[in-house]
Amino acid sequence: MGNNESGFYAYASSPAEIGQTIEQAVSSSHSEVSTWKALDIPGHFISEKVLEGIDSCSFLVADISVLNFNVTYEIGYAIGKGKRVLLTKNRSIQEGSPSIREVGIFDTLGYKEYQNSSELSGFLNTAVPADPLSIPSKINIKSPVYLLEGMHKTDWATRIVSRIKKARYLFRSFDPNEQPRLSANDAINQVAQSHGIVVPLLSSTAVGFEVHNMRGAFIAGLADGMSKALCILQYEDYPVPLDYRDFVCMSYHPNDINEHIANFAGEVAEAFQQDVSIVTSNEDTFLQSIDLGSTSAENEMRTLESYYLKTDQFLKSLRGEANIVVGRKGSGKSAIFLQVRDRERNKKGNIVLDLKPDGYKLIKFKELILSFLEEGTFQHTIMAFWEYVLLLEICYKILEKDREQHKHDHTLYEPYRALADLYHADGYETEGDFSERMSSLMEKISTEYRSRHGDKTNVRLNASSLTEMLYCHDVRDLSKQVIEYMRQKEVCWLLFDNIDKGWPTSGLEHEDLLIIRALIDATKKIERQFGKSNVVVNTILFLRNDVYELLVKETSDRGKEASVLLDWTDPDLLRELVRLRIVSNNINGDDSFNSLWPKICVSHYSGEESSQYLIERSLMRPRFLLNLISQCKSFAINLNHDRILEEDIAKGLTAYSTDLLTDIGYEIHDVENNIDDVLYAFIGSKSTVKKGEIFSVLEEFGVDGQFFENIFELLLWYGFLGLNINGETKYIYDFNYSMQLMAGIIKKKGDAEYLINPAFWPALMIEET
């Protein structure tokens, strides 16, 4: 038994043994938490002795009153080793930073609160060691690496991703931009099905480092406990604890990452050659055996095909009838992106560009160019930049795909060699992934500008100056040779996803929309150029709903682009989405939803059919629905329930509600930069409110009156507020996402009543009125 910074851990063969020891030790101490039994550590690493103690025990008791790296790592390690874990929390101690709510993990694992030694020892004396958490044994051999990503895609983070790709490993990841919190069950499942885990730890100077590194500690502990290949990367020296520093790969320059990931890749390769022993229970329940897949399409690239719901929007995209796919976050845009990409690039004659620009790098580029150039020149520069990038990437894909084929096809050999010679021009960096190639090109443009114009502002460039600043190649010659080569191919696909991901939560500006407009114009120009030589080019740009709405408002020729709206309005479609995921687990017998759902979940909750209850709280978004079901499922499995019970739904909804509040808050802030955390203004509010009351709440929260109407519209648009019509609440999705229709009904009704969406009630502590 011992203590570690502000948390304690204890291991033994029975809870009563620890309970008696704690009561005796604490009663003779002047503090609530102290060191009861000294570890034998002279001449040993502290962490080494702690982990040896966990290895030899039956279960672990850990206190999480104040979260710290060491104890969090050891909790993960114990779970990975198949040990039963009992968590406690002293309610009399003020929660520090990071909080359990911010980190996640522990709210789904569950913990017992106490306020004195008597309560603590009483809980431990009566605790019954149940079975340890179930750990899946199936390895995802198609995507064998799991990566913990940070909120911001820095050069350091980009290099890590690039080197994993260079090692030719597909990876899954936790991305806080997609999911605000990490659940314990998701972390356990992701680590268990991996051969290798990469955990980058952020410097103490980075925004959000405390939350990120605490998640990293848990994931690293799980990986260590399950004997996975583990690469913990630390940027500079701090803040990893001293007793774990010897297990961490330090990096002071992006090039340091190359060596660390190379060593890690070798360990993953070794894991493929041997069977890794994982502790599992003897027999899983039906609920434990069901895998509903990931809530993020990027994490299920190789399994999505088996349960993908082929919607009309997907089929239109596949036929090349849509140039823009529009949808809210979590509506399935990335799923269409991946499905179109995988289907089309499997065809021998196709060239498919699956491009995901780093949003933050585009912002940096925009700020650099905007600070020096006049707007007319700025727009022309951005379009020329996109056109050049697209030509280079088409060329890159051709050279990559036909690297072997051209050697055996005399019709391709000479054109291929000529294209390769042209592509590898002096001054163009061809290494790394797309983000790194684009970044090096941006850096080259920046350097070229400063060498010519220094710090001059409002510069207007002529065509000749622009060409010299942007291009490393003869663009006309490059375009001509690429088109000529493509005449021997079938279709070229240009797929753009994540262009609006990673943009700062400071609201969208006119110049941000110019970047997108310039990209669309550049793709159209390439389509026309290639089309003159009968080469078919299909372009699909995937955009958030709010970004597209702003783009349309700023575009003079509205409706010119062929777009499809990927917003969900039919609950039965969402049920079918869930059913397909259940059926993919090789279910025998009746595979209808009505037959399968009762095996997973109770039929009713609070008098309502349970699937409808959950769907109504998902804001009609597939990712949110899967998140909610996953939260409920996690609680049920952790409490050894055979299926999701009412108490699991209650707990799952509380955890989900907090995540949802954060998610929708981010989305609102992305669009309106004059408000901060506006949803928190409704803490303790009535569930049913009128417009005047909403404005009063905003005023009390300190919001400037000039923003009231805009915020009110956003609350309706994001489904936070619903309109009461004859005793029935209608949300934006009930109006087919038409704000004009909803606004018209509100105007006609006059003094209408609004209901705060029940999905937000637990997080905002709202009671039904």
Side-chain angles (χ1 to χ4, degrees):
M1 183 182 300
N3 76 339
N4 211 331
E5 296 178 28
S6 51
F8 70 74
Y9 49 82
Y11 31 80
S13 56
S14 72
E17 178 185 329
I18 295 180
Q20 292 162 6
T21 306
I22 287 176
E23 186 168 26
Q24 294 166 5
V26 176
S27 62
S28 63
S29 171
H30 295 291
S31 62
E32 286 294 333
V33 180
S34 61
T35 303
W36 296 280
K37 193 184 296 181
L39 288 169
D40 179 21
I41 61 172
H44 300 277
F45 288 118
I46 299 173
S47 57
E48 184 180 303
K49 299 301 293 181
V50 172
L51 300 183
E52 285 178 5
I54 293 174
D55 289 341
S56 62
C57 76
S58 300
F59 69 94
L60 175 79
V61 177
D63 190 82
I64 55 171
S65 300
V66 179
L67 297 180
N68 72 69
F69 187 97
N70 300 48
V71 172
T72 301
Y73 182 97
E74 286 139 17
I75 292 170
Y77 181 83
I79 293 172
K81 281 294 183 184
K83 308 294 184 180
R84 173 62 175 157
V85 176
L86 301 177
L87 302 181
T88 62
K89 183 177 183 295
N90 191 330
R91 71 169 69 94
S92 68
I93 296 178
Q94 182 175 354
E95 193 169 16
S97 180
S99 67
I100 289 174
R101 182 187 66 80
E102 293 171 319
V103 174
I105 300 173
F106 300 106
D107 47 5
T108 52
L109 279 178
Y111 51 85
K112 181 71 174 179
E113 291 192 319
Y114 67 95
Q115 58 185 347
N116 53 49
S117 60
S118 178
E119 286 187 7
L120 176 59
S121 62
F123 160 62
L124 295 175
N125 282 325
T126 57
V128 178
D131 293 332
L133 296 176
S134 176
I135 298 176
S137 56
K138 186 178 180 181
I139 298 293
N140 187 333
I141 58 174
K142 293 180 178 178
S143 298
V145 173
Y146 183 57
L147 167 68
L148 175 66
E149 294 195 72
M151 180 69 75
H152 302 286
K153 312 308 178 192
T154 63
D155 292 336
W156 186 69
T158 301
R159 177 61 64 89
I160 293 172
V161 170
S162 176
R163 298 315 298 180
I164 295 174
K165 290 179 179 178
K166 274 289 183 182
R168 298 192 65 79
Y169 285 126
L170 293 174
F171 66 91
R172 294 159 286 112
S173 68
F174 171 79
D175 186 346
N177 290 294
E178 300 293 338
Q179 297 171 263
R181 291 187 309 148
L182 176 66
S183 76
N185 198 60
D186 185 48
I188 293 167
N189 287 336
Q190 295 289 357
V191 172
Q193 61 182 285
S194 303
H195 270 319
I197 316 296
V198 180
V199 177
L201 298 178
L202 300 182
S203 163
S204 54
T205 59
V207 175
F209 82 95
E210 292 173 309
V211 171
H212 175 90
N213 290 351
M214 205 61 66
R215 290 168 177 159
F218 184 72
I219 290 173
L222 286 171
D224 200 4
M226 297 182 202
S227 301
K228 304 288 186 179
L230 174 62
C231 180
I232 306 177
L233 293 164
Q234 168 69 55
Y235 185 64
E236 298 180 340
D237 294 317
Y238 297 100
V240 66
L242 284 171
D243 42 340
Y244 281 92
R245 194 161 294 173
D246 288 334
F247 305 107
V248 175
C249 301
M250 300 295 181
S251 69
Y252 303 92
H253 186 276
N255 287 340
D256 295 338
I257 294 168
N258 299 4
E259 181 181 350
H260 297 320
I261 295 297
N263 294 335
F264 166 76
E267 294 174 12
V268 173
E270 288 179 15
F272 270 104
Q273 307 302 319
Q274 53 185 299
D275 294 323
V276 180
S277 176
I278 300 177
V279 180
T280 59
S281 56
N282 294 329
E283 188 174 345
D284 289 341
T285 65
F286 181 79
L287 184 65
Q288 290 171 335
S289 67
I290 291 296
D291 180 7
L292 296 177
S294 173
T295 58
S296 175
E298 291 87 347
N299 286 342
E300 49 183 7
M301 284 188 270
R302 292 297 177 264
T303 57
L304 185 60
E305 170 64 25
S306 63
Y307 46 72
Y308 183 67
L309 178 60
K310 298 174 180 62
T311 60
D312 183 54
Q313 294 92 332
F314 162 71
L315 295 174
K316 284 183 177 179
S317 301
L318 195 62
R319 293 194 296 264
E321 297 173 8
N323 300 126
I324 303 177
V325 174
V326 182
R328 298 173 185 236
K329 183 179 177 181
S331 60
K333 299 188 300 298
S334 292
I336 290 183
F337 174 89
L338 293 170
Q339 285 297 292
V340 172
R341 181 199 69 180
D342 291 347
R343 284 167 179 256
E344 291 302 311
R345 75 178 179 186
N346 286 334
K347 297 176 182 177
K348 187 177 180 180
N350 285 359
I351 296 296
V352 179
L353 274 65
D354 52 335
L355 305 176
K356 295 186 177 185
D358 277 341
Y360 94 99
K361 289 184 177 178
L362 290 177
I363 295 297
K364 285 171 61 179
F365 186 56
K366 176 202 74 173
E367 291 170 349
L368 172 73
I369 298 297
L370 189 64
S371 63
F372 295 121
L373 303 182
E374 293 183 351
E375 180 171 319
T377 304
F378 168 80
Q379 190 167 359
H380 184 55
T381 302
I382 295 294
M383 182 179 167
F385 168 77
W386 278 127
E387 183 187 355
Y388 183 43
V389 166
L390 291 173
L391 282 173
L392 287 173
E393 288 303 309
I394 294 171
C395 187
Y396 177 86
K397 279 293 179 184
I398 289 172
L399 298 178
E400 181 184 57
K401 185 161 187 173
D402 287 356
R403 182 175 290 120
E404 295 301 323
Q405 185 183 351
H406 86 280
K407 299 175 183 176
H408 312 289
D409 186 339
H410 70 277
T411 63
L412 293 180
Y413 187 82
E414 290 299 333
Y416 182 95
R417 298 314 310 168
L419 196 58
D421 291 342
L422 180 60
Y423 177 73
H424 295 102
D426 290 340
Y428 180 61
E429 179 61 57
T430 61
E431 291 300 312
D433 62 4
F434 170 62
S435 290
E436 288 193 302
R437 290 193 298 274
M438 192 171 75
S439 181
S440 65
L441 188 59
M442 289 176 177
E443 187 64 33
K444 182 259 179 189
I445 294 170
S446 171
T447 303
E448 191 70 25
Y449 178 91
R450 292 181 188 278
S451 69
R452 293 173 180 270
H453 304 286
D455 293 329
K456 290 182 182 178
T457 58
N458 294 321
V459 174
R460 177 173 292 276
L461 298 177
N462 57 34
S464 175
S465 299
L466 188 60
T467 299
E468 291 177 7
M469 187 178 79
L470 282 178
Y471 304 145
C472 301
H473 303 76
D474 183 329
V475 175
R476 287 187 179 181
D477 194 19
L478 179 66
S479 177
K480 180 181 177 182
Q481 290 203 39
V482 168
I483 291 172
E484 188 62 31
Y485 195 96
M486 279 300 303
R487 293 179 67 176
Q488 302 177 70
K489 296 292 180 180
E490 293 180 16
V491 181
C492 178
W493 285 85
L494 307 178
L495 307 177
F496 274 88
D497 194 16
N498 287 355
I499 190 171
D500 48 15
K501 180 179 177 180
W503 285 4
T505 55
S506 56
L508 295 172
E509 299 175 352
H510 170 68
E511 292 77 21
D512 301 327
L513 299 173
L514 283 182
I515 291 176
I516 299 174
R517 183 73 258 170
L519 172 59
I520 294 172
D521 291 342
T523 60
K524 291 299 176 189
K525 184 176 179 181
I526 285 180
E527 287 179 9
R528 290 193 302 270
Q529 288 177 339
F530 282 49
K532 291 176 182 178
S533 298
N534 297 318
V535 176
V536 178
V537 177
N538 290 329
T539 302
I540 307 180
L541 181 63
F542 297 81
L543 286 178
R544 288 199 325 246
N545 214 311
D546 51 342
V547 175
Y548 179 71
E549 289 292 326
L550 292 172
L551 182 67
V552 169
K553 287 180 182 178
E554 293 215 4
T555 302
S556 56
D557 49 349
R558 300 182 185 183
K560 186 177 179 181
E561 309 301 334
S563 62
V564 292
L565 183 63
L566 191 62
D567 278 327
W568 301 65
T569 59
D570 186 356
D572 286 334
L573 265 182
L574 289 172
R575 288 190 182 90
E576 177 63 9
L577 180 146
V578 174
R579 186 194 73 83
L580 288 172
R581 288 173 178 256
I582 298 173
V583 170
S584 69
N585 291 271
N586 299 318
I587 303 298
N588 296 320
D590 186 356
D591 62 0
S592 67
F593 183 85
N594 290 336
S595 174
L596 294 172
W597 183 250
K599 295 179 181 179
I600 292 176
C601 184
V602 291
S603 61
H604 290 78
Y605 179 77
S606 297
E608 299 182 40
E609 196 277 321
S610 58
S611 70
Q612 185 65 27
Y613 183 90
L614 297 178
I615 288 171
E616 287 177 355
R617 282 151 183 79
S618 71
L619 276 61
M620 298 299 288
R621 301 197 201 182
R623 180 182 298 166
F624 288 172
L625 177 60
L626 293 172
N627 271 338
L628 177 51
I629 295 174
S630 178
Q631 294 278 17
C632 298
K633 180 171 174 273
S634 294
F635 280 106
I637 289 174
N638 292 347
L639 295 171
N640 291 314
H641 296 159
D642 291 336
R643 60 177 179 163
I644 298 170
L645 303 180
E646 289 195 11
E647 63 183 273
D648 303 318
I649 293 177
K651 293 174 181 176
L653 183 60
T654 299
Y656 161 80
S657 182
T658 304
D659 292 349
L660 183 67
L661 190 68
T662 305
D663 259 334
I664 298 301
Y666 283 157
E667 291 186 36
I668 290 176
H669 202 164
D670 279 350
V671 179
E672 179 53 71
N673 62 352
N674 293 303
I675 51 177
D676 285 310
D677 301 327
V678 70
L679 298 184
Y680 293 95
F682 295 88
I683 291 176
S685 168
K686 295 187 300 181
S687 58
T688 303
V689 290
K690 293 196 172 185
K691 189 173 182 179
E693 293 173 309
I694 294 169
F695 285 3
S696 296
V697 168
L698 295 176
E699 186 177 16
E700 290 174 11
F701 196 65
V703 178
D704 193 314
Q706 64 177 314
F707 302 118
F708 285 0
E709 284 291 344
N710 194 27
I711 292 172
F712 176 69
E713 288 186 10
L714 288 172
L715 295 178
L716 291 171
W717 172 248
Y718 284 101
F720 180 81
L721 291 177
L723 175 63
N724 189 330
I725 302 177
N726 300 324
E728 187 175 354
T729 305
K730 300 287 187 180
Y731 296 93
I732 185 66
Y733 36 82
D734 296 309
F735 297 97
N736 204 32
Y737 297 94
S738 170
M739 270 302 297
Q740 290 85 353
L741 178 59
M742 196 174 192
I745 293 175
I746 290 173
K747 186 175 181 180
K748 189 175 181 179
K749 282 184 65 67
D751 191 23
E753 281 191 339
Y754 303 91
L755 182 75
I756 296 175
N757 195 311
F760 297 92
W761 291 2
L764 293 175
M765 296 171 283
I766 293 174
E767 297 292 334
E768 185 173 4
T769 48

